[in-house]
Amino acid sequence: MTKSTKTPEVAFDVSNSTPPRQEHELQVARKLHPTWWVATAIIAVIVAMFVRMLVTNENLQWDVVSEYFFSERILSGLVKTLELTAISMILAVALGSVLAVMRLSKMPIISSVSWVYIWFFRGTPLLVQIIFWFNLSFLTPRLSVGIPFGPEFMGAETNQLISPYSAAIIALSLCEAAYMAEIIRGGLQSIAEGQGEAAHSLGLNKLQTMRYIVFPQAMRVIVPPTGNQTIGMLKTSAMVSVIALPELLYSAQLIYARTYQVIPLLVVATLWYVIVSTILTIGQYYVERHYASGSSRSLPPTPIQKAKRTLARLTRPAPTGAPAIRGASS
């Protein structure tokens, strides 16, 4: 007769498995490498020299900068620059999305048309495209709508339809659409094919799959380069000054052509470009956080959260009796 043995049951309490927090956390004192101090000193000297140049160089004429910074012509040019940037990017994103979907199509003719468009508009300089659309009347003096090779329903002179403003919008949006198509295509291809197959198994068609499944997930990949392209568009819009469109740069040029104060007016334009670029960068940061909220990685802290943490760390009283551990040099 064998004697059965029972293994004693051991109960584990996993509700509080984390180790108890120490009353005083250990603080690690880092020893900085000498090269860190050398690099800091060099950068500090360069920054000091630059600040000194800004303050002492009389050719900058800061009084002239302050005089024209909020002038009516400069602000009018700034509004025109913002209009060009916003309208061109909206059209470029819309057209680029269509081109990206066409490029991924299984039909060779559709994907080939998209590829040729992207190849052509990425292969020609934007400045050439702006001048071409501005001088479109030399190619076709009249634009009309009608039956192909048949009667004309309506039409008008090209110079009446293609103004400098519309020529700038057409050139900027068509050129940018080629770059946005590649950005969006890369974002769409970053999504696993199983996502689309799962959506089809739930009864969603291709359009619904793109709208509700693929595009929302691809936005995490699409948004950062799109924000970069938007800031680039803001600065690229200065090229339309060659067709005498009074945007920000051309407005500054009109003023210094009359007053011969070239450097101060260029400083005014530069400051406005930097201000708007900074605002767009902040907006891009929060849009990225919005679309990254569904990812597995933790979201980076916002500037306000960083400031609160830094303030809390600086105002927190130092713990008494906490030993300091000397770490290796970094």
Side-chain angles (χ1 to χ4, degrees):
M1 181 176 181
T2 59
K3 183 179 180 180
S4 61
T5 59
K6 293 184 179 181
T7 304
E9 296 181 356
V10 181
F12 294 95
D13 184 9
V14 296
S15 61
N16 190 17
S17 59
T18 57
R21 186 174 179 178
Q22 301 293 335
E23 184 179 357
H24 300 295
E25 295 182 353
L26 297 179
Q27 296 180 349
V28 178
R30 295 184 178 272
K31 183 180 180 181
L32 298 177
H33 197 274
T35 55
W36 188 92
W37 296 106
V38 174
T40 303
I42 294 175
I43 294 175
V45 170
I46 294 175
V47 171
M49 293 174 61
F50 181 72
V51 172
R52 180 178 180 274
M53 185 272 296
L54 293 179
V55 174
T56 61
N57 194 331
E58 297 180 355
N59 295 324
L60 291 173
Q61 303 180 40
W62 289 106
D63 55 335
V64 178
V65 173
S66 61
E67 177 184 354
Y68 287 102
F69 193 75
F70 293 105
S71 66
E72 182 179 356
R73 176 166 288 182
I74 292 294
L75 294 181
S76 176
L78 175 63
V79 172
K80 191 74 67 177
T81 295
L82 296 177
E83 289 179 357
L84 290 173
T85 303
I87 296 175
S88 299
M89 283 305 302
I90 291 174
L91 295 176
V93 170
L95 181 57
S97 301
V98 175
L99 290 170
V101 175
M102 290 174 60
R103 183 76 185 277
L104 298 175
S105 175
K106 302 297 183 181
M107 299 180 62
I109 183 63
I110 295 179
S111 60
S112 298
V113 169
S114 176
W115 182 88
V116 170
Y117 179 97
I118 296 170
W119 164 77
F120 178 79
F121 281 95
R122 289 200 306 175
T124 55
L126 176 59
L127 185 59
V128 175
Q129 297 180 35
I130 294 174
I131 299 175
F132 174 83
W133 288 105
F134 181 69
N135 296 282
L136 185 62
S137 59
F138 290 102
L139 176 64
T140 169
R142 182 178 177 83
L143 297 175
S144 61
V145 177
I147 299 177
F149 311 106
E152 173 185 318
F153 297 150
M154 57 182 299
E157 298 296 326
T158 303
N159 285 332
Q160 297 178 356
L161 296 177
I162 307 297
S163 63
Y165 186 79
S166 58
I169 291 292
I170 293 173
L172 292 174
S173 57
L174 291 182
C175 181
E176 185 62 30
Y179 295 93
M180 287 304 307
E182 291 296 277
I183 292 174
I184 296 172
R185 181 174 69 89
L188 296 178
Q189 289 183 324
S190 67
I191 306 303
E193 295 183 0
Q195 298 286 330
E197 296 174 356
H200 294 327
S201 65
L202 294 176
L204 299 180
N205 56 34
K206 292 184 177 181
L207 181 60
Q208 292 173 332
T209 301
M210 279 289 181
R211 180 179 178 183
Y212 298 110
I213 304 298
V214 178
F215 262 106
Q217 297 183 72
M219 290 301 291
R220 288 191 293 109
V221 181
I222 296 174
V223 167
T226 301
N228 185 60
Q229 291 296 114
T230 304
I231 296 175
M233 175 64 73
L234 172 72
K235 297 175 290 184
T236 304
S237 62
M239 288 189 181
V240 303
S241 60
V242 299
I243 58 176
L245 184 64
E247 43 77 51
L248 179 57
L249 177 60
Y250 191 69
S251 299
Q253 290 175 332
L254 290 176
I255 296 176
Y256 72 63
R258 175 174 51 86
T259 62
Y260 300 101
Q261 297 168 325
V262 178
I263 297 300
L265 269 301
L266 290 180
V267 171
V268 170
T270 301
L271 291 177
W272 274 118
Y273 280 121
V274 171
I275 291 173
V276 178
S277 297
T278 303
I279 295 174
L280 291 176
T281 302
I282 296 173
Q284 175 190 345
Y285 176 83
Y286 283 98
V287 172
E288 287 184 24
R289 281 181 56 87
H290 172 73
Y291 284 104
S293 58
S295 61
S296 58
R297 60 188 179 185
S298 59
L299 297 177
T302 64
I304 297 178
Q305 292 173 343
K306 290 181 180 179
K308 289 182 178 179
R309 292 181 183 179
T310 303
L311 182 62
R313 187 167 56 251
L314 294 176
T315 56
R316 183 173 55 193
T320 58
I325 301 176
R326 292 288 175 180
S329 60
S330 58

